[in-house]
């Protein structure tokens, strides 16, 4: 009977999930140190939130009598951090194929949307958000054009509720080097594979450009031509060619970055981002000249070449920033995306100014993804997406006390906190029934 009861309970919950509608109740967070990111720091101020948005912020704020008040004396408020590269919601257990939904079998599937595969109940989501990371770019993997990444907030009952307003087509740019230390291919084999991959990319893009020209002719003069055949992959790339969709190029080696720059310019692609950039520091000046924003990371990594200093991965973001590249940081992780603030902390320790490190996980990605009207800083009119801490969020000793996402106060609970509480309260020597 109990199993039937729980089955019915689960079914009812799925059919009628708890409401996500916001109320008109005003919440006032008082006596806080408010790090707005874009408009300085308020040492002792108040934030009023209503209907999911910040309605007032400052030192002299009139608090309604019926407002819910949270006293944050001694605590600091920061915008929610944005991780610019994860597989959050797409992978649960790496060793179990049943829990991996990040890739398609096809090498060319730019029309496939990661958003449709996001699991809102993924166990890594609460683990990540209680660390102050409230928004992530979740990225498909697999072939050359594996699909479309999606920016999601880490709260919601459906992928659509989590969607934060940005999608971009992923291109894994052909690599000219070896895949790793265990790559035993000869130099000729490596070069041949790279040439074949580049030819495949160019052939695919030629087809997409032709499809776009045929479609454009049909749209403007339908009497002069026929409607092109519907090809989902070509439709997705057509949006990139027209500047209606962003192309996110994953590229790491210095020579490959230069080749990607040349390819983008030759193809006249307007909306483009680079992601990865492990050797971005080697060609930072060239990247800066293009004005292409970069999603850099992971910072917590090892050098790409044995001849490099041990700290080159730590310094990479700072060197790219110093050259004039607009950067956002990514963890390139899922289970450990909660460590994004420590990626930023290492980048700060090795040359990236702390203010820029904070921008690289808040307002910079918001601007790069075109959602800075909603996320990335604490300003009137923006979503109430932020966290409250008792210190610098890049310090491991800091504790996060509150998290709000689009006005919802998030439970500070995850499988990690539950395990901590369970073992903190354990009584060694007791049998399972609690008797000696």
């Amino acid at each position: 009977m109990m199993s039937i009861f729980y089955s019915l309970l689960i079914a009812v919950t799925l059919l009628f999930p708890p409401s996500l509608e916001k109320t008109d109740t005003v919440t006032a967070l008082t006596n806080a140190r408010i790090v707005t990111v874009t408009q300085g720091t308020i040492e002792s101020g108040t934030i009023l939130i209503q209907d999911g948005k910040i309605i007032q912020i400052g030192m002299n704020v009139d608090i309604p009598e019926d407002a819910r008040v949270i006293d944050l004396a001694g605590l600091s408020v920061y915008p929610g951090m944005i991780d610019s590269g994860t597989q959050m919601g797409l992978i649960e257990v790496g060793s179990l194929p049943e829990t991996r939904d990040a890739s398609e079998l096809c090498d060319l599937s730019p029309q496939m949307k990661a958003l449709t595969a996001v699991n809102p109940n993924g166990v890594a989501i609460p683990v990540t958000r209680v660390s102050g990371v409230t928004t992530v770019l979740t990225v498909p993997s697999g072939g050359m054009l594996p699909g479309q990444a999606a920016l999601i907030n880490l709260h919601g009952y459906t992928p659509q509720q989590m969607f934060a307003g940005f999608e971009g087509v992923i291109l894994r740019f052909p690599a000219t080097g070896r895949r790793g230390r265990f790559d035993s291919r000869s130099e000729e084999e490596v070069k041949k594979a790279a040439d074949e991959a580049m030819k495949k990319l160019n052939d695919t893009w030629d087809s997409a450009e032709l499809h776009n020209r045929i479609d454009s002719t049909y749209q403007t003069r339908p009497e002069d031509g026929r409607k092109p055949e519907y090809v989902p992959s070509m439709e997705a790339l057509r949006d990139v060619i027209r500047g209606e969709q962003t192309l996110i190029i994953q590229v790491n080696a210095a020579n490959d970055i230069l080749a990607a720059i040349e390819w983008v310019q030759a193809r006249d692609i307007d909306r483009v981002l680079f992601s990865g950039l492990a050797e971005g520091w080697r060609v930072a000046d060239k990247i800066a000249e293009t004005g292409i924003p970069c999603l850099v990371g992971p910072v917590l990594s090892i050098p790409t070449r044995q001849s490099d200093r041990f700290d080159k991965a730590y310094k990479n973001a700072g060197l790219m920033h110093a050259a004039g590249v607009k950067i956002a940081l990514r963890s390139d992780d899922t289970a450990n995306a909660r460590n994004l603030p420590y990626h930023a902390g290492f980048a700060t320790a090795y040359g990236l100014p702390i203010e820029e490190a904070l921008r690289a996980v808040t307002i910079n990605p918001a601007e790069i993804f075109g959602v800075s009207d909603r996320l990335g800083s604490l300003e009137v009119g923006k979503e109430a997406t932020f966290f409250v801490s008792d210190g610098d969020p890049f310090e491991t000793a800091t504790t996060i006390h509150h998290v709000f996402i689009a006005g919802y106060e998030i439970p500070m609970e995850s499988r990690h906190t539950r395990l901590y509480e369970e073992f903190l309260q354990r009584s060694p020597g007791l049998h399972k029934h609690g008797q000696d």
Side-chain angles (χ1 to χ4, degrees):
M1 285 295 294
M2 289 300 291
S3 62
I4 296 175
F5 170 77
Y6 283 120
S7 297
L8 289 173
L9 181 62
I10 292 171
V12 170
T13 302
L14 291 174
L15 288 173
F16 305 102
S19 175
L20 277 180
E21 293 182 2
K22 303 178 180 67
T23 66
D24 293 331
T25 303
V26 175
T27 299
L29 297 97
T30 63
N31 302 314
R33 177 176 176 267
I34 304 170
V35 183
T36 69
V37 174
T38 55
Q39 299 179 1
T41 298
I42 302 168
E43 290 302 330
S44 182
T46 296
I47 300 175
L48 290 188
I49 61 177
Q50 183 179 29
D51 195 29
K53 293 187 177 181
I54 298 173
I55 60 172
Q56 288 191 59
I57 185 170
M59 296 182 65
N60 301 306
V61 173
D62 293 327
I63 301 174
E65 291 184 0
D66 61 345
R68 174 193 176 212
V69 178
I70 303 176
D71 187 353
L72 300 182
L75 302 177
S76 298
V77 184
Y78 292 85
M81 286 181 278
I82 302 172
D83 191 328
S84 296
T86 74
Q87 291 191 313
M88 190 71 61
L90 302 180
I91 293 179
E92 202 69 16
V93 181
S95 58
L96 293 178
E98 297 89 346
T99 69
R100 299 198 307 264
D101 202 5
S103 63
E104 296 294 324
L105 297 177
C106 180
D107 191 42
L108 304 173
S109 53
Q111 76 278 9
M112 302 304 293
K113 293 177 175 287
L115 185 65
T116 63
V118 168
N119 174 17
N121 298 308
V123 295
I125 290 175
V127 170
T128 302
R129 68 191 181 193
V130 298
S131 298
V133 180
T134 59
T135 308
V136 304
L137 184 71
T138 190
V139 182
S141 60
M144 179 181 290
L145 288 159
Q148 299 180 30
L151 190 69
I152 57 173
N153 286 326
L154 300 185
H155 174 61
Y157 295 105
T158 68
Q160 289 69 31
Q161 289 176 337
M162 300 172 72
F163 184 52
F166 170 84
E167 289 181 295
V169 174
I170 298 295
L171 165 60
R172 298 174 65 205
F173 198 78
T176 56
R178 297 184 182 278
R179 301 189 187 102
R181 67 179 63 183
F182 299 108
D183 188 345
S184 60
R185 293 176 299 168
S186 66
E187 293 294 335
E188 292 77 12
E189 290 172 327
V190 171
K191 185 179 186 306
K192 181 181 178 181
D195 290 344
E196 290 176 350
M198 199 69 216
K199 183 179 185 303
K200 185 174 185 178
L201 172 59
N202 283 320
D203 288 347
T204 301
W205 215 264
D206 287 342
S207 296
E209 289 177 338
L210 176 59
H211 185 278
N212 176 56
R213 289 195 297 271
I214 295 172
D215 183 73
S216 297
T217 299
Y218 176 78
Q219 295 296 333
T220 55
R221 301 192 307 276
E223 68 280 0
D224 293 344
R226 68 176 187 177
K227 186 175 182 180
E229 180 182 352
Y230 175 66
V231 182
S233 60
M234 295 295 102
E235 296 279 341
L237 295 181
R238 181 196 65 190
D239 292 341
V240 173
I241 291 168
R242 291 181 177 178
E244 299 170 359
Q245 177 74 290
T246 299
L247 183 67
I248 303 175
I249 300 179
Q250 296 179 343
V251 61
N252 283 294
N255 289 338
D256 295 341
I257 295 170
L258 295 178
I261 290 173
E262 183 178 346
W263 184 83
V264 166
Q265 292 173 340
R267 294 292 181 173
D268 195 25
I269 301 173
D270 292 328
R271 294 175 58 178
V272 62
L273 308 174
F274 284 167
S275 179
L277 291 301
E279 294 188 350
W281 61 274
R282 295 184 185 275
V283 291
D285 291 342
K286 298 293 184 182
I287 301 172
E289 290 174 4
T290 68
I292 296 174
C294 293
L295 315 177
V296 182
V299 176
L300 299 176
S301 187
I302 60 176
T304 55
R305 308 183 191 185
Q306 291 185 345
S307 57
D308 290 337
R309 281 179 54 89
F310 77 95
D311 58 3
K312 277 304 181 183
Y314 309 153
K315 290 185 174 182
N316 186 30
L319 293 171
M320 292 181 67
H321 166 73
V325 180
K326 183 166 187 173
I327 65 167
L329 296 183
R330 64 170 204 166
S331 68
D332 194 31
D333 207 330
T334 297
N336 293 312
R338 68 186 187 277
N339 288 333
L340 176 68
Y342 310 135
H343 288 258
F346 263 71
T348 295
Y350 286 87
L352 183 64
I354 190 168
E355 297 84 1
E356 294 302 326
L358 183 58
R359 292 181 68 90
V361 293
T362 54
I363 192 62
N364 279 10
E367 291 175 347
I368 289 170
F369 299 136
V371 295
S372 59
D373 60 328
R374 300 166 52 190
L375 301 170
S377 64
L378 301 178
E379 301 178 50
V380 172
K382 290 195 174 185
E383 289 183 2
T385 298
F386 52 77
F387 64 91
V388 179
S389 69
D390 60 10
D392 187 330
F394 300 162
E395 295 282 350
T396 55
T398 295
T399 298
I400 307 297
H401 291 261
H402 302 275
V403 173
F404 284 77
I405 298 179
Y408 299 104
E409 186 169 8
I410 303 300
M412 297 302 292
E413 183 182 74
S414 70
R415 62 176 179 175
H416 290 185
T417 63
R418 291 193 295 272
L419 282 171
Y420 175 78
E421 292 296 332
E422 177 183 345
F423 282 90
L424 188 68
Q425 303 298 331
R426 68 180 178 173
S427 298
L430 295 183
H431 297 299
K432 63 180 180 179
H433 298 297
Q435 297 178 351
D436 293 332

